Amino acid sequence: MSTHSEKAAAFIKDEARTNWHDGALWHVREKRDAAASLLPEWELLRNTASHIKDNVLANLDDYLIQFEAEAKKNGVVVHWAKDGKEHNQIVGQILQRSNAKKVVKSKSMLTEECKLNDFLEENDIEIIDTDLGERIIQMRKEEPSHVVLPAIHIKKEEVGELFHKELGTEEGNSDPTYLTKAARTHLRQRFFEADAAITGVNFGIAETGGVVVCTNEGNADMGCHSAAVQIHSMGIEKLLPKAEHLGVFTRLLARSATGQPTTIYTSHFQKPQKGKEMHIVIVDNGRSEQLGKEDFRNSLKCIRCGACMNTCPIYRRSGGHSYHATIPGPIGAILSPNRDLKKYSDLPFASTLCGSCSDVCPVKIDIHEQLYKWRQEIYKHHELPKSKSIPLRITGKIFENPSIFNSVGKIARSSLKHLPRFMVYNNLNGWGKQRELPEVPEYSFKEWYKKQKDE
Amino acid sequence: MSRADILEAIKKNKPQSLSLPDLSVFQHEISPEILVADFIKTSTGNMSNVVDLTTSEVDLSVFLEEFIAENFPKATKFYDTRSSGKEIPENVDFQENIDLFIAEPKLGVAENGCLWLDEGILKHRVAPFACQHTLMVIDHHNIVPTMHQAYQILNINETGYGVFIAGPSKTADIEQSLVIGAQGAVSNTVILI
């Protein structure tokens, strides 16, 4: 398995594409800023959202029990899954029992996390992703590269080519309107044929036992209302205590995600349709364990808006796939090590620790601080790669001893100036890759300071 | 059993409880004129077509008839949920293209153009998604400033399903180019009375 930096290196080989990716995401970040600045109480909203989530995490077991009881009263079937495997089995059983062969899914990062599509396909169930971006990457047999903009890394010409092959659109036509219309026709047919529909959940309401799903395309509704069986997969942390708390979160979600004042559709599913089935699968998959880690539990407040990705200087230039995890970017880099410290030990280092992610987070997760804390955990568990652990050990020794520090500084200043290029710019010096090192100053700061004082 | 395991793990790991914050800080007193102006601005921003009849004295039913004839000249199949509309049959085949969906939402939200419809109004949940165009008639007295007021007024558990609709279906999934009419309705018209 290659690491983030290796995958990122492959991504940035195409400089024009890297710049395009960077610009597209920054544009979304700017839209978010414009939307946020229109609300004078924006910071109060963020604080309030964070406090509500504190309360939710502190009472999560009680809220889940209340949620389950209310949902059952509404005629909803509630299931519990400790991990992705159990989630898939439960979904598989529901589909089997209702003899469902064709399933439509609207975007859900949780089902991606559980690898539901692979599981269903192995069991001869056709599953169609219906969010346009997700459909595109499903046809390309890829995973999403962003939580809100799953196909942000793909050019329209590539979609044109893909749709020509898969949907029979005109060759060479890559007009987004034309392609979207083709997808609309293709997907409408799938909705009406579907036996069952699966969605993720943006918010579950303990007070009412219902779930809220937010989309711009209306695909979650097309699916759920057309099929005989609807299934909602929900992480345990998605709960809100009462309906009134939706006011806070629906105001923050779309503004943070894309700069829209709201998603076009905010759907509240409470009870099954007459003669049909509604299921909710409550999934843990490592979340209750994360809850026990004081330093990292705040990450469970995440509402998956993607704002931290759009603002991250590393994400924008390295692409979502370089994170080799379902949730990429800054938030993914603090969620993934919880699941597998060894496998994801590179991710907390895919950050400049500039803090921009924490600044835009609508629920005020201390993302960059958690990244820093994960780095220390990784060091403690000896999961640092040698390229980092050896230099860190050496610099540690140098910083411990002032006389060594002074002389090393002197040597570095003179050698960087006088050594031939190949001895400075080689594989041992990661900082010299793709960039020129800054010019070496005449004196160290200490020497300069002494000189100033003497004068 | 996973239910017991999950609840047990949460109980063991959860932090100390904190009280819920006060939401009354988000109350806004806004004049009706500004509410209407804000609502028109946000709805237009969401790509809805807005017709403001709040200050005109037309007969709504006459106006609507002319408006529909003029703006949806090819429409032959209607799904009209208004009290004055025709009775909606139990079985509607939404696979056949239904041209125009008409409804009177219970409530509108000025800050984002959201309009609330629930199952009681809709009859068939899929209607506003499967119909080609949607037309919403909303009384400007039913516009509230923000989502906070909306959730105070609504009882989301009153019916089995409720939805805020804020415009036509849209996407920007192909190279961030905004396309209207991605999957649900291809246009949304709001008549403000």
Side-chain angles (χ1 to χ4, degrees), chain A residues 20 28 41 45 48 52 54-55 57-61 64-65 68 74 80-82 86 130-133 149 152 155-156 176 179-180 184 187-188 191-192 216-217 219 221-222 225 241 243-248 250-251 255 260-262 264-273 288 291-292 297, chain B residues 2-3 6-7 9-11 13-23 25-26 28 46 90 94-95 97 111-112 114 116 119 125-126 129-132 146-148 151 156-171 173-177 179-186:
Chain A
W20 167 75
V28 185
E41 69 265 43
L45 270 176
T48 309
I52 294 168
D54 278 332
N55 173 274
L57 295 180
N59 299 285
L60 192 53
D61 48 346
L64 282 168
I65 291 166
E68 180 190 37
N74 288 337
W80 299 72
K82 63 176 181 299
E86 192 175 8
T130 59
D131 172 87
L132 179 58
L149 317 161
I152 185 79
K155 296 247 182 190
K156 63 182 180 200
L179 296 174
T180 304
R184 176 188 171 93
L187 287 168
R188 283 227 154 195
F191 286 124
F192 291 124
N216 277 323
E217 297 174 15
N219 54 318
D221 288 276
M222 280 296 285
H225 305 327
E244 65 189 39
H245 297 118
L246 283 169
V248 176
T250 51
R251 296 186 79 193
R255 288 183 173 98
Q260 295 170 248
T262 177
I264 296 301
Y265 304 104
T266 307
S267 303
H268 305 61
F269 298 94
Q270 302 290 336
K271 297 168 191 163
Q273 295 181 85
S288 62
L291 187 64
R297 75 164 56 106
Chain B
S2 294
R3 180 185 186 275
I6 294 168
L7 290 174
I10 293 170
K11 205 171 191 171
N13 289 339
K14 66 182 182 177
Q16 269 206 331
S17 189
L18 291 159
S19 59
L20 281 165
D22 175 22
L23 298 185
V25 289
F26 297 110
H28 296 273
N46 294 338
E90 273 293 309
F94 287 100
Q95 289 195 59
N97 271 345
E111 68 161 329
N112 58 16
C114 274
W116 177 261
E119 198 169 23
R125 292 183 189 182
V126 81
F129 305 91
C131 293
Q132 295 298 308
T146 71
M147 294 299 272
H148 304 293
Y151 282 110
I156 60 167
N157 211 17
E158 194 178 323
T159 65
Y161 170 78
V163 60
F164 282 114
I165 298 182
S169 167
K170 61 178 182 178
T171 185
D173 271 343
I174 300 178
E175 240 187 59
Q176 285 294 290
S177 307
V179 179
I180 303 300
Q183 305 208 24
V186 298

Side-chain angles (χ1 to χ4, degrees), chain A residues 99-104 126 128 185-196 222-223 226-228, chain B residues 95:
Chain A
N99 206 18
K101 286 282 165 207
K102 292 183 172 194
V103 181
V104 285
E126 180 195 82
I128 300 282
T185 311
H186 158 73
L187 287 168
R188 283 227 154 195
Q189 208 176 339
R190 297 297 178 283
F191 286 124
F192 291 124
E193 285 170 6
D195 305 308
M222 280 296 285
S226 305
Chain B
Q95 289 195 59

Side-chain angles (χ1 to χ4, degrees), chain A residues 274-293:
Chain A
K274 224 168 126 191
K276 296 186 176 182
E277 286 177 39
M278 176 170 164
H279 298 261
I280 297 173
V281 189
I282 300 170
V283 187
D284 183 342
N285 207 26
R287 288 163 173 77
S288 62
E289 198 189 320
Q290 183 96 327
L291 187 64
K293 296 175 184 158

Side-chain angles (χ1 to χ4, degrees), chain B residues 24-60:
Chain B
S24 65
V25 289
F26 297 110
Q27 291 305 321
H28 296 273
E29 286 299 325
I30 296 176
S31 74
E33 295 78 33
I34 293 179
L35 273 184
V36 168
D38 281 355
F39 178 79
I40 293 173
K41 198 173 156 200
T42 51
S43 301
T44 312
N46 294 338
M47 305 293 174
S48 291
N49 310 310
V50 183
V51 181
D52 181 7
L53 298 182
T54 49
T55 52
S56 64
E57 288 184 11
V58 294
D59 180 321
L60 182 66

